[in-house]
Amino acid sequence: MYAAVDLGSNSFRLHIGKHDGEAIRVLKSVREPIRLAAGLDDKGNLTPAAMQAALNCLKNFRTVLAAYKLDAVRVVATSAMRVARNAAAFLPEAELAIGYPIEIISGEEEGRLIYMGVAHAVALPGERRLVIDIGGGSTELILGRGPEIERVESFSVGTVKQSLSFFIGGRVDGPSFEAAILSARSHFEDAAPPYHPQFWKQCYGSSGTARTIADIIVKNGLGREVNAQSLEALKQRFIEFGHVGRIDMPGLKADRASTIIGGLAILIGLVRELDIPVVVPIEAGLRMGVMWDLHLRSTKRDRREQSVQACVQRFHVDERRANRVAVDSLALYAQTKPASDQYSRLLYWSALLHEMGMVVSHTGYHKHAAYIVENADLPGFTAREQRTMSCLIVSHKGNLRKVGEALTEIDFAKAIVAFRLAVLFMHSRIDLDFTQIKLRFKSRIELEIQREWVAEHPTLSYWLEKEQEQWDEVGVDFLIRTTG
């Protein structure tokens, strides 16, 4: 059983689902209209009121989650948290409220998860499709074929800002609508060509915005599908009301009127700019994609593995050396008896990528690799995971002062020493026999190796002495014993 929590710019939503055959069946769904994007002040900070509303919601979500026996939970935050200048300061309090880590995902990762949810819902392996997702703070366009994504882009235009910027004080009129539509089109015009209809067969609207607009159109007799004509008819009906507060139509909840007008302007802008004939609303998207991602991870079909292998190929990594360091790092890490396996996979992937920076320069390659890993678009990885891998990679060589603060977490320090020793032994050309080596790390590092290794590999003594010096600089004793 899985739970997906979506901390969106307009609403916070929660899905609890269970994998059932070829589908994930939603058992519980909760939505609260937090309007987080509307809670950003003129300096780009979340206001105290917005943060308190978010915390109250997260505490409620924690109660809901506690009622289920869950195999995995993933909490993702999108556009509003991406742009909020005080997001980093707010995050620990928010995580404490819900009881789980919160991942501020990139627009590209958001698009990937949205597409995954749609692809599993549609289940047409060869269909070429465009998926559009109009959220509170951003809009994602994803082009794909069957389960595979070919292109994904995130645009910083969403329902909340569009509504607040163009329908001042809730006033709805023709000029305001056209200005909002033109503004939306300006975001998409440069990127439009690859998303034109000749590159796909069906266009799906995966967001609550698209589904709500479709519902209003049908229930008010404005059309049978979402197209340019029915969207224009809905726009005119909104203009007739003249003010957000007076909009009263079947299919539209009162709490959504203030943002749906901005969403309608964006959708019209997309239809006009991309020449979309019909948008098919679909009850699938980010939350369903998150749950599918959790399920695939549990069945060893982890998208992150594919991302790492793609990097290995793209950056011409020496796979023999990389695989050796990855395997040896994990074996050494296991000897230190970490409290959990939190860092095991990240350590393994970091080791596979630790020499990717050599395509830039052999001097300081670890710094180049760390930079690439932290800043690249790696589908499946969260920004936090990429920062952790970046820290592991930059720490596998050279002084440890640059990651001194990270060493205070003992399991992370154990991962670093395992990584460094694996690289050291690889460079010394020692084929490790893990029955002849012991690594312990409690209050100090203790390494026990074969005496003959030192005799057979002249540089080993030098490198181990340097390693002792590096750990001594950060206040960690490193004791080495030789046996045999």
Side-chain angles (χ1 to χ4, degrees):
M1 197 178 302
Y2 309 109
V5 182
D6 166 17
L7 309 184
S9 301
N10 193 37
S11 301
F12 283 10
R13 295 172 179 265
L14 177 154
H15 269 10
I16 294 173
K18 184 176 183 180
H19 186 253
D20 187 6
E22 296 301 315
I24 289 180
R25 181 164 47 91
V26 177
L27 306 176
K28 178 74 174 180
S29 185
V30 182
R31 171 184 176 269
E32 290 197 23
I34 300 301
R35 307 278 191 266
L36 198 64
L40 291 167
D41 63 22
D42 56 2
K43 294 182 179 179
N45 290 308
L46 292 168
T47 64
M51 289 189 287
Q52 190 57 55
L55 292 174
N56 293 341
C57 175
L58 294 175
K59 289 174 184 176
N60 292 338
F61 280 7
R62 182 172 187 164
T63 302
V64 175
L65 293 169
Y68 293 83
K69 188 176 181 180
L70 299 168
D71 296 298
V73 178
R74 189 175 179 189
V75 187
V76 299
T78 58
S79 178
M81 288 285 277
R82 283 198 293 267
V83 302
R85 297 182 63 182
N86 58 343
F90 174 59
L91 204 58
E93 197 173 358
E95 291 179 329
L96 187 64
I98 196 167
Y100 292 95
I102 296 173
E103 306 165 9
I104 302 177
I105 58 176
S106 68
E108 290 73 20
E109 172 69 357
E110 184 178 353
R112 183 188 74 85
L113 292 168
I114 289 165
Y115 189 87
M116 183 180 288
V118 172
H120 279 92
V122 175
L124 294 174
E127 182 183 69
R128 296 191 65 85
R129 63 179 71 100
L130 172 66
V131 177
I132 60 177
D133 190 280
I134 303 170
S138 65
T139 296
E140 281 67 47
L141 300 181
I142 314 103
L143 187 69
R145 183 188 183 107
E148 299 300 324
I149 294 174
E150 296 177 354
R151 191 180 191 92
V152 56
E153 291 185 71
S154 181
F155 302 86
S156 58
V157 55
T159 64
V160 175
K161 186 176 181 181
Q162 213 69 358
S163 296
L164 293 174
S165 299
F166 294 95
F167 303 97
I168 310 299
R171 181 180 176 181
V172 184
D173 56 30
S176 298
F177 243 119
E178 285 306 314
I181 293 167
L182 189 61
S183 167
R185 291 186 69 169
S186 72
H187 283 83
F188 306 118
E189 61 182 351
D190 282 346
Y195 300 104
H196 282 160
Q198 64 263 38
F199 300 109
W200 46 265
K201 182 179 180 181
Q202 191 72 271
C203 175
Y204 296 95
S206 63
S207 62
T209 298
R211 293 192 296 272
T212 298
I213 288 172
D215 205 30
I216 300 170
I217 285 171
V218 171
K219 289 183 177 179
N220 289 273
L222 302 176
R224 295 181 179 180
E225 57 187 16
V226 178
N227 55 32
Q229 292 73 33
S230 62
L231 291 171
E232 180 65 25
L234 180 56
K235 184 191 81 170
Q236 292 302 324
R237 186 68 63 86
F238 281 168
I239 290 171
E240 290 171 9
F241 281 105
H243 193 278
V244 170
R246 292 196 288 270
I247 296 176
D248 183 14
M249 301 177 75
L252 178 60
K253 294 179 181 178
D255 67 342
R256 298 213 66 176
S258 62
T259 55
I260 205 67
I261 52 172
L264 178 59
I266 295 169
L267 186 53
I268 292 174
L270 277 168
V271 167
R272 290 182 184 177
E273 191 63 36
L274 303 184
D275 197 23
I276 301 172
V278 177
V279 178
V280 178
I282 186 167
E283 189 67 40
L286 180 58
R287 291 171 302 286
M288 191 59 72
V290 168
M291 288 194 291
W292 272 111
D293 199 48
L294 290 172
H295 174 68
L296 291 174
R297 289 185 185 188
S298 72
T299 56
K300 311 301 182 187
R301 289 176 286 170
D302 197 326
R303 182 66 180 89
R304 295 172 297 178
E305 186 73 43
Q306 298 173 34
S307 293
V308 170
Q309 290 304 322
C311 278
V312 167
Q313 298 300 318
R314 186 182 309 126
F315 291 94
H316 308 291
V317 171
D318 185 322
E319 294 187 50
R320 181 186 59 81
R321 288 163 60 93
N323 284 323
R324 171 179 168 160
V325 173
V327 170
D328 289 353
S329 292
L330 281 189
L332 289 165
Y333 185 50
Q335 287 194 2
T336 67
K337 294 183 171 55
S340 73
D341 64 353
Q342 176 184 0
Y343 296 113
S344 296
R345 296 301 292 166
L346 298 179
L347 172 60
Y348 182 79
W349 289 321
S350 298
L352 288 177
L353 299 176
H354 80 281
E355 289 188 333
M356 66 191 294
M358 286 188 176
V359 298
V360 180
S361 170
H362 281 243
T363 304
Y365 72 87
H366 58 309
K367 298 176 184 177
H368 299 306
Y371 177 85
I372 293 168
V373 166
E374 182 169 359
N375 294 281
D377 177 20
L378 298 179
F381 285 99
T382 66
R384 183 179 302 187
E385 288 172 333
Q386 289 181 229
R387 285 194 299 271
T388 299
M389 289 170 61
S390 176
C391 188
L392 281 168
I393 289 171
V394 81
S395 69
H396 89 265
K397 177 184 175 184
N399 74 75
L400 289 159
R401 295 187 303 275
K402 57 183 175 284
V403 292
E405 190 173 324
L407 297 175
T408 58
E409 186 179 349
I410 186 63
D411 276 4
F412 194 73
K414 289 177 177 180
I416 289 175
V417 72
F419 195 176
R420 290 174 68 92
L421 288 175
V423 172
L424 186 154
F425 289 130
M426 185 265 289
H427 286 165
S428 298
R429 297 182 176 85
I430 297 176
D431 293 322
L432 295 184
D433 178 349
F434 286 99
T435 64
Q436 298 180 324
I437 183 171
K438 292 181 182 178
L439 178 64
R440 291 179 288 272
F441 192 163
K442 291 184 179 178
S443 59
R444 65 182 182 182
I445 301 169
E446 297 179 21
L447 176 66
E448 187 176 302
I449 60 173
Q450 293 294 300
R451 187 172 292 111
E452 64 184 46
W453 292 0
V454 178
E456 293 175 4
H457 303 277
T459 62
L460 182 59
S461 294
Y462 170 79
W463 288 119
L464 286 175
E465 185 178 330
K466 295 290 289 184
E467 192 65 15
Q468 286 178 305
E469 292 173 1
Q470 302 289 6
W471 285 99
D472 184 61
E473 284 186 359
V474 291
V476 178
D477 289 334
F478 192 147
L479 178 65
I480 299 172
R481 297 191 184 95
T482 56
T483 61

